[in-house]
Amino acid sequence: MAVESSPRRRADAERNATAILDAGLECLLVDPQTSMTAIARAAGVSRVTLYSHFPTREILLEAALERSVAEAVHALDVEAGDAGPADETLARLMRSSWQVLDRNFSTFTAAAAALPPDVIRDRHDRILRPVRDLILRGQQEDAIRRDLSADWLVTVVYQLMHAAAGEVQAGRLTSAAAPDVLTATVLAALRTRGGQQ
Amino acid sequence: MAVESSPRRRADAERNATAILDAGLECLLVDPQTSMTAIARAAGVSRVTLYSHFPTREILLEAALERSVAEAVHALDVEAGDAGPADETLARLMRSSWQVLDRNFSTFTAAAAALPPDVIRDRHDRILRPVRDLILRGQQEDAIRRDLSADWLVTVVYQLMHAAAGEVQAGRLTSAAAPDVLTATVLAALRTRGGQQ
């Protein structure tokens, strides 16, 4: 045990953290009850190495989710910081956040199935904060409709993004076509009527 | 056993079928693993009576789902049969199907969590067929946009309805306000641009 948890072991495990997360996610998507032993085997590490980083499946899943959320928040922050018209910024934001969602869809799916709703809701709120701020700005600038609440419009954006991801997973929409379809739908739903001409 | 499954017993159970479905649903929503014994107790019937109708939790859940689906299909068929402008018919259809969804939300939630995806998808397709037909008609009549596929627009309607139901459950939207919010969002997303004036 002293040997297994030595600094060298831990350094190895850290170097492999991404590989462990990737392998673990893949296992958990196939079977949410995959044993830690099977995950260690899939990642090519010892069980002790695995446990030193991720004591439980839930912690592994939360770490994978955290990695994807950080990527999404970064992408959204970059786009939302744009000072241009809110509806145009929203269109760009939809496209870049679609790329993040498309790359991380399996993580979000596995996390949503296994983690407690309050954990999902917290990450979800963090991701959507820049979208909400942008919608509020758009409403002030009269680029985004004001007859519906910003909270509802954020929900609309979120649900339509997840709907598009679901359609891609089901093979009814291509990943290449999704950003255009999404943007056309979301802008029509959110823009003020004048803005739709 | 011969006595328990006698015709009189079965007649009693049939008379109580609705009560059994209601009680069973309530239990399964709180705990999807509720035992059949607990469901029988909650419904005020013997386990034999319960088993004679619903041999498994899944069959009970499917029966409850079927009851809700039949109600939804009936409501949608009535509205969709209207020969008026497709966008106006769609607005009415959103309102009446919202009432059905609102009344049966717990059934759909319990069913989605417990039944196999192909069962859910089949019921879902049956419910959405009139919506799809109406959208196709609207596209021909130029009341509904044609730059997006009918299949995607059906998904948009479905997702936004479920989003609204989720917001009501979470206490962020009132059930009274939901039909207006939904209709305003769906029509903006689906109507041709000229139709939005």
Side-chain angles (χ1 to χ4, degrees), chain A residues 166-179:
Chain A
E167 292 296 287
V168 169
Q169 295 295 312
R172 287 187 295 267
L173 181 67
T174 67
S175 185

Side-chain angles (χ1 to χ4, degrees), chain B:
Chain B
M1 189 66 187
V3 172
E4 296 266 31
S5 63
S6 72
R8 200 181 68 78
R9 276 273 177 193
R10 273 180 278 128
D12 283 352
E14 264 176 62
R15 211 165 41 234
N16 290 331
T18 301
I20 296 176
L21 284 179
D22 289 340
L25 256 182
E26 212 166 299
C27 293
L28 291 171
L29 269 172
V30 174
D31 175 10
Q33 300 305 316
T34 308
S35 71
M36 291 295 271
T37 305
I39 291 173
R41 200 182 308 128
V45 300
S46 72
R47 283 179 62 212
V48 172
T49 302
L50 174 57
Y51 279 115
S52 73
H53 269 277
F54 308 112
T56 67
R57 286 189 297 249
E58 285 66 33
I59 290 173
L60 190 157
L61 210 46
E62 269 202 61
L65 180 61
E66 194 51 46
R67 186 176 63 167
S68 299
V69 167
E71 193 189 338
V73 167
H74 177 72
L76 291 176
D77 272 346
V78 168
E79 295 294 348
D82 187 304
D87 52 343
E88 291 173 20
T89 303
L90 182 63
R92 272 197 305 280
L93 186 147
M94 296 296 299
R95 288 175 192 284
S96 64
S97 58
W98 169 260
Q99 307 303 335
V100 177
L101 177 61
D102 195 33
R103 261 199 308 278
N104 294 279
F105 190 74
S106 56
T107 309
F108 292 124
T109 305
L115 295 177
D118 58 329
V119 171
I120 302 297
R121 157 76 40 193
D122 172 71
R123 301 307 188 278
H124 163 264
D125 286 348
R126 270 173 55 206
I127 292 181
L128 291 176
R129 203 166 302 140
V131 177
R132 191 167 185 281
D133 291 345
L134 182 60
I135 286 174
L136 285 169
R137 173 161 78 81
Q139 287 182 320
Q140 282 170 350
E141 293 171 357
D142 205 25
I144 306 279
R145 64 196 295 177
R146 295 182 220 187
D147 61 328
L148 298 174
S149 74
D151 283 336
W152 169 249
L153 296 180
V154 170
T155 298
V156 168
V157 170
Y158 172 79
Q159 287 287 338
L160 292 178
M161 289 205 65
H162 279 256
E167 292 296 288
V168 169
Q169 295 294 312
R172 286 187 295 267
L173 182 67
T174 67
S175 185
D180 283 344
V181 166
L182 250 181
T183 309
T185 311
V186 167
L187 286 186
L190 267 63
R191 269 182 176 160
T192 51
R193 295 183 177 200
Q196 282 164 334
Q197 288 314 294

Side-chain angles (χ1 to χ4, degrees), chain A residues 3-21:
Chain A
V3 173
E4 297 265 30
S5 63
S6 72
R8 199 181 69 75
R9 277 272 175 193
R10 273 180 278 129
D12 284 352
E14 266 176 61
R15 212 166 41 235
N16 290 330
T18 302
I20 296 176
L21 284 180

